[in-house]
Amino acid sequence: MARFIFITGGVVSSLGKGLASAALGALLQARGYSVRLRKLDPYLNVDPGTMSPFEHGEVFVTDDGAETDLDLGHYERFTGVPARKTDSVSSGRIYSDVLEKERRGDYLGKTIQVVPHVTNQIKDFISIGEDEVDFMLCEIGGTVGDIEGLPFFEAIRQFAHDKPQGQCIFMHLTLLPYLAASGELKTKPTQHSVKELQSIGIAPDILVCRSEQPIPEKEREKIALFCNVRKQCVVAAYDLKSIYEAPLAYHEQGLDQAVLDAFGISPAPAPKLEVWHDVYDRIHNPEGQVKVAIVGKYTQLEDAYKSIAEALTHGGMANRVKVKIEWVDAELFDNDDATPYLEGFHAILVPGGFGERGTEGKIKAAKFAREKKIPYLGICLGMQMAVIEAARNVAGLEKAGSEEFDHEAGKKRFEPVVYHLKEWVQGNHMVARKADDDKGGTMRLGAYDATLIEGSKVAEVYGSTSIEERHRHRYEVDIKYRDMLEASGLKFSGMSPDGKLPEIVEWEGHPWFIGVQFHPELKSKPFAPHPLFADFVRAAVDTSRLV
Ligand code: GLN
């Protein structure tokens, strides 16, 4: 039966709870344990699928087709454990499940209340698959004291109470602000945050304290005494150059040892950290640098393309180079020449996106990369834009467009090279969607197989002709245009197994121009860079040698 670690945060948000959880997961794995990480989010959206990337960052998609919080991406990147639908839940999902049960009469006419009905629903969620792993790490989103977080805090308190003693521990992240004027680290906010937790019945076993300055022994003792934890359970978390240093840094500060001690596991197996030492070495000792442009729409908030940025970093690690990413807003050259914005980059990546804004700029970016022979990776919308560019500028279909934007009244440009997909095959069954279905959950989501053409660039890059990648889109390149586009040189080098849906396109005779309908970035790890990203960065290194 699993042991449970509940991770909460206090004082301020954005302390890196997700990263601390992911790093702890990696450290427990390094000691030979199996882990699963979960995120419980107090917001009322049913899932993050319809939340704006401007506000909430990227939507992370799991193999089984859940649209989840980006923290699940961190979990996967650090542990390599594929996340599932049942690893992410929000208040909205919990309430909607409770209300559905109420409507169905499952509660037999009882009065439905936060305690016990909502809290029981949360507890049931936490225990899904508890027999499968040694440790279950559950992160509670938000900060202690938030109104909407209360049912979650009450649920984890009860959960630990229901389990035999010693099976659950609580880890709390706080901030030690540094007052430059007095030259001191202040512990009071941490004390207050722990008090707040204690007032709802939770006594943390471990405190992880974010700090810009080294924490003096005296302050550590003070925190331990006033917060009622052992001194070795006050763990420092200092700022890092790269997030991938976190497992080694937390190990040095004794986090994994403190956790194992808190569970009374002794002697604990020694950790095997070679993988993380290698990752550290690759980040800290690059042998060169390449400049990659990400031409997108959500460029003000880097979290909107979190997994892409991380996958590029992994690609850099595979080639022992630093990847310098620059965010280029495609809208800047929607009606303008792209050259001044894109000159000087060693590679161009056009990521996924929704809606028309910036798409003409993205089409120009694809044209620029094709003509100047700059490596281009188009992901999802980035592939669709590359296909429209090829259709308009090479195949002679001047009016080529996508049903995603060109259906609006009055638009006459329009040869629907990219069309609204309403039916497709998943495994052995058909999936159908109506145009007026709810916005949430109408997409082709999750892992699908693709078959690659023997001898194509992608087959060489993957070293295989059959792959599985994650999807998240409503629109699709129309196979009708295949012959015409292939005659122009744009090869359809990857298809769905039934041969109906184009999954990958590549330009013949171009050093590196690949568009993929799926999201390879979601599966890249620092210790196992995704082959497309590793080879894309390799091609960027080649370009950098030419200039
Ligand atoms: N908007 C496009 C579609 O729905 C692309 C989606 C994406 O890039 N994830 O097909």
Side-chain angles (χ1 to χ4, degrees), residues 351-355 362 379-385 402 404-405 418-420 443 471-476 516-519 521:
F354 292 83
K362 291 175 189 174
I379 294 180
C380 209
L381 187 69
M383 170 204 185
Q384 298 171 358
M385 296 304 103
S402 164
E404 184 171 3
F405 346 112
V418 178
Y419 72 106
H420 193 172
M443 285 189 267
H471 290 247
R472 180 172 185 252
H473 56 108
R474 288 191 185 86
Y475 299 86
E476 197 88 33
V516 294
Q517 188 55 75
F518 46 80
H519 290 275
E521 72 274 18

Side-chain angles (χ1 to χ4, degrees), residues 6 8 153 156-157 160 168-172 193-207 227-229 262:
F6 294 105
T8 58
F153 284 96
I156 60 174
R157 182 195 70 75
C168 301
I169 66 165
F170 295 96
M171 172 169 135
H172 189 57
S193 170
V194 170
K195 241 193 210 146
E196 181 83 35
L197 260 186
Q198 286 169 337
S199 75
I200 49 180
I202 295 174
D205 299 279
I206 298 192
L207 290 178
C227 298
N228 207 25
V229 299

Side-chain angles (χ1 to χ4, degrees), residues 52-54 296-302 304-305 327 329 352-355:
S52 163
F54 283 122
K297 178 166 79 165
Y298 315 109
T299 47
Q300 305 97 312
L301 179 70
E302 292 184 11
Y305 301 116
W327 307 90
D329 184 351
F354 292 83

